Amino acid sequence: MMNKIALIIKREYLTRVKKTSFLVMTLVGPLLMAALMIVPAWLALKDKDVQIVEVIDETGQFINQFESTETLKFDHQFISIEKAKEDFYETKYTSILYINSLDKNAEVEMFYKKQPGVSTIKQIENTIESAINSIELKNKFNITKDQLEESKSSITVKTIYRDITGSEESKSSTISSVLGLAGAVMIYFFVFMYGIQVMRGVIEEKTSRIVEIIISSVKPFQLMMGKILGIALVGLTQFILWMVLTGTIVTVAQVALNQSIDMSSTPPGIEEAMQGQNIQLDKQKMLTQFESIIDEIPIFQMLFSFLFYFLGGYLLYAALLAAIGSAVDSEADTQQFMMPVTIPLIFSFVVAQTVIENPDGAMAFWLSIFPLTSPIIMMVRIPFGVDAWELILSMVLLVLGFVGTTWMAGKIYRTGILMYGKKVNYKELWKWLFYKG
């Protein structure tokens, strides 16, 4: 029995990896993923919003208040706004900032010949607000802004998990959310993509009558399992190649463009926005904090869990989709059966954000151990920390779920794969489940 399944796996694997579409997607996929990481950073650094602003300040309160940066320079001019606008296109300035009021709700006008970016406008707004606040503090309370800043405190809540044995562990909610959601998206994407391939493969063989020849040599269950496992290997092969090629392309691109792209640098727009909000950039401190956060992430547990839930989720859903493919004569007939099968997968993806908000809640727990939703929900929870018994329970139930759905799918597949020209409904599928023949 195992030899025949192995032969089917080999046939499915070699047939699919030799296809031109597999080779094209394997090469194009990493290029697209690398482009998504490199191009935005390259564009952010190449396409800088350089502004030279002529400041016309009728209040006289903003002299030397605006701090120039590499891409945003301020130059105070003591001329009328009419004169500034008249000479605008004969000067080097890209914008004229006109301030004529200290009112807290005043509108400050900015005339431009080059559209200023959102971060530029935000920095100007923050600077003006800060200056007006300083004047208010001085006039009403006789204190300066610096004195007020000295009185301010800066509190950061560091969350630390303490287990029953007294062991303590701190985690970053932001990094955990990003990692959890990224793992869930990848599993959702791969389960759907390769599960649909199984269903289409079954329909193709059934409609071409090739399956009748194959069934004469192997049992329907062996054929179904071989097809599911063969495509699973194709998926793993493509996933590993994508990761390796994407990492290689990104590394080579960083080295080749090191002079123009520094991926660790802060984009100018963000830097200016942070300066505008008086957020001090301490890159060394940020790097130390980032390294500390990375050390706290259970990398090996996440990689192992990702592979397990990817394979478990794929095998479970692929068995159901193979059963659907065997019961219909064309892809158009699959719609009535697809919805109930895919709803748990889509639902778990939709509630993933809610689970991130409360990863230890009742909903997160039950959805992470239910086999149809655990591949996505458990991946969302793992970066936040999950008790070992919960993880083991979820994995055991996923394996049992796979065995159960495979048994059910095998029953339907055995009958449906040789059934032609008959419109199948749920009542008919129910009969096939208990058909003895």
Side-chain angles (χ1 to χ4, degrees):
M1 176 178 175
M2 294 306 297
N3 287 336
K4 291 183 178 179
I5 292 179
L7 287 173
I8 299 295
I9 292 173
K10 182 179 179 182
R11 169 182 171 273
E12 287 293 332
Y13 182 81
L14 293 178
T15 302
R16 293 179 184 278
V17 298
K18 289 180 179 177
K19 283 185 176 179
T20 305
S21 58
F22 176 85
L23 297 174
V24 170
M25 281 305 300
T26 302
L27 294 175
V28 171
L31 288 173
L32 292 176
M33 285 190 282
L36 285 175
M37 288 185 271
I38 294 172
V39 171
W42 182 78
L43 289 177
L45 293 174
K46 284 293 182 185
D47 191 21
K48 293 180 180 178
D49 176 27
V50 179
Q51 291 279 347
I52 305 175
V53 182
E54 180 181 20
V55 180
I56 308 298
D57 176 20
E58 290 189 353
T59 68
Q61 299 295 321
F62 297 92
I63 297 173
N64 299 325
Q65 291 288 332
F66 295 99
E67 294 182 7
S68 296
T69 64
E70 181 183 353
T71 57
L72 182 58
K73 301 184 186 304
F74 295 95
D75 187 9
H76 284 78
Q77 292 294 323
F78 302 95
I79 58 176
S80 67
I81 183 63
E82 290 76 16
K83 176 65 175 172
K85 286 197 286 188
E86 182 181 340
D87 299 336
F88 190 27
Y89 275 85
E90 297 173 2
T91 64
K92 61 180 180 181
Y93 304 115
T94 57
S95 307
I96 301 172
L97 181 64
Y98 177 51
I99 308 172
N100 63 351
S101 172
L102 289 176
D103 190 277
K104 288 192 288 187
N105 299 314
E107 277 190 349
V108 174
E109 294 178 324
M110 189 169 186
F111 305 91
Y112 66 86
K113 53 189 175 186
K114 181 186 177 187
Q115 174 71 51
V118 174
S119 61
T120 301
I121 294 175
K122 190 64 182 173
Q123 182 182 352
I124 292 171
E125 288 176 345
N126 288 333
T127 303
I128 295 175
E129 287 174 359
S130 178
I132 292 177
N133 289 338
S134 296
I135 295 169
E136 287 280 312
L137 287 171
K138 183 68 176 175
N139 293 339
K140 291 185 177 180
F141 307 105
N142 196 28
I143 59 174
T144 64
K145 185 184 175 185
D146 291 338
Q147 290 173 324
L148 181 64
E149 290 296 328
E150 288 178 3
S151 67
K152 285 184 178 179
S153 56
S154 176
I155 305 299
T156 302
V157 176
K158 183 179 181 181
T159 55
I160 303 172
Y161 172 69
R162 180 181 174 85
D163 64 18
I164 196 169
T165 64
S167 176
E168 296 181 348
E169 186 179 12
S170 64
K171 296 181 183 299
S172 166
S173 298
T174 303
I175 298 295
S176 299
S177 302
V178 172
L179 289 175
L181 204 55
V185 168
M186 292 176 74
I187 287 183
Y188 176 84
F189 174 70
F190 282 114
V191 167
F192 249 122
M193 186 170 73
Y194 295 111
I196 293 296
Q197 281 192 27
V198 172
M199 187 184 73
R200 286 176 176 167
V202 172
I203 295 174
E204 185 181 340
E205 289 181 349
K206 180 180 177 181
T207 53
S208 63
R209 302 296 178 97
I210 294 175
V211 71
E212 295 178 7
I213 301 172
I214 301 174
I215 289 296
S216 64
S217 303
V218 299
K219 293 180 180 178
F221 180 78
Q222 294 171 335
L223 176 60
M224 185 186 76
M225 286 304 302
K227 184 177 288 294
I228 291 172
L229 295 175
I231 294 178
L233 290 177
V234 174
L236 275 178
T237 302
Q238 195 164 51
F239 175 75
I240 292 171
L241 288 173
W242 276 354
M243 292 300 103
V244 172
L245 291 174
T246 301
T248 304
I249 292 171
V250 171
T251 304
V252 171
Q254 280 186 275
V255 172
L257 304 175
N258 191 44
Q259 297 300 321
S260 56
I261 297 181
D262 181 5
M263 300 294 284
S264 63
S265 66
T266 307
I270 295 176
E271 186 174 350
E272 287 161 3
M274 295 177 74
Q275 288 175 348
Q277 296 179 42
N278 296 322
I279 298 175
Q280 297 300 317
L281 290 174
D282 188 342
K283 293 184 178 179
Q284 187 59 42
K285 185 178 179 182
M286 291 172 63
L287 182 61
T288 304
Q289 289 179 344
F290 182 75
E291 290 175 347
S292 174
I293 290 170
I294 292 297
D295 290 339
E296 294 165 359
I297 296 171
I299 300 293
F300 291 107
Q301 183 190 23
M302 285 201 64
L303 286 175
F304 172 77
S305 300
F306 176 82
L307 289 175
F308 181 87
Y309 282 103
F310 162 60
L311 286 174
Y314 161 77
L315 293 173
L316 190 149
Y317 278 98
L320 294 174
L321 292 170
I324 293 174
S326 69
V328 300
D329 292 333
S330 67
E331 195 168 339
D333 297 332
T334 62
Q335 299 303 317
Q336 59 174 322
F337 303 116
M338 284 286 287
M339 183 64 76
V341 171
T342 55
I343 275 182
L345 196 63
I346 297 171
F347 174 75
S348 56
F349 186 71
V350 171
V351 301
Q353 185 62 42
T354 306
V355 172
I356 287 174
E357 295 294 328
N358 187 15
D360 290 331
M363 183 179 74
F365 171 76
W366 290 110
L367 290 180
S368 63
I369 64 170
F370 183 54
L372 291 174
T373 54
S374 62
I376 288 181
I377 300 301
M378 186 52 87
M379 280 308 302
V380 172
R381 291 187 63 201
I382 285 175
F384 292 93
V386 177
D387 289 340
W389 71 269
E390 290 185 30
L391 191 60
I392 293 171
L393 176 62
S394 173
M395 289 180 169
V396 170
L397 289 179
L398 181 57
V399 171
L400 293 177
F402 163 64
V403 172
T405 53
T406 303
W407 173 83
M408 186 174 68
K411 290 279 188 179
I412 296 173
Y413 189 90
R414 180 184 61 182
T415 306
I417 198 67
L418 297 174
M419 193 74 70
Y420 298 98
K422 184 177 182 179
K423 291 295 181 184
V424 180
N425 52 31
Y426 287 103
K427 185 178 178 181
E428 194 72 24
L429 291 180
W430 185 256
K431 288 181 181 178
W432 291 357
L433 281 178
F434 301 98
Y435 176 73
K436 295 181 180 178

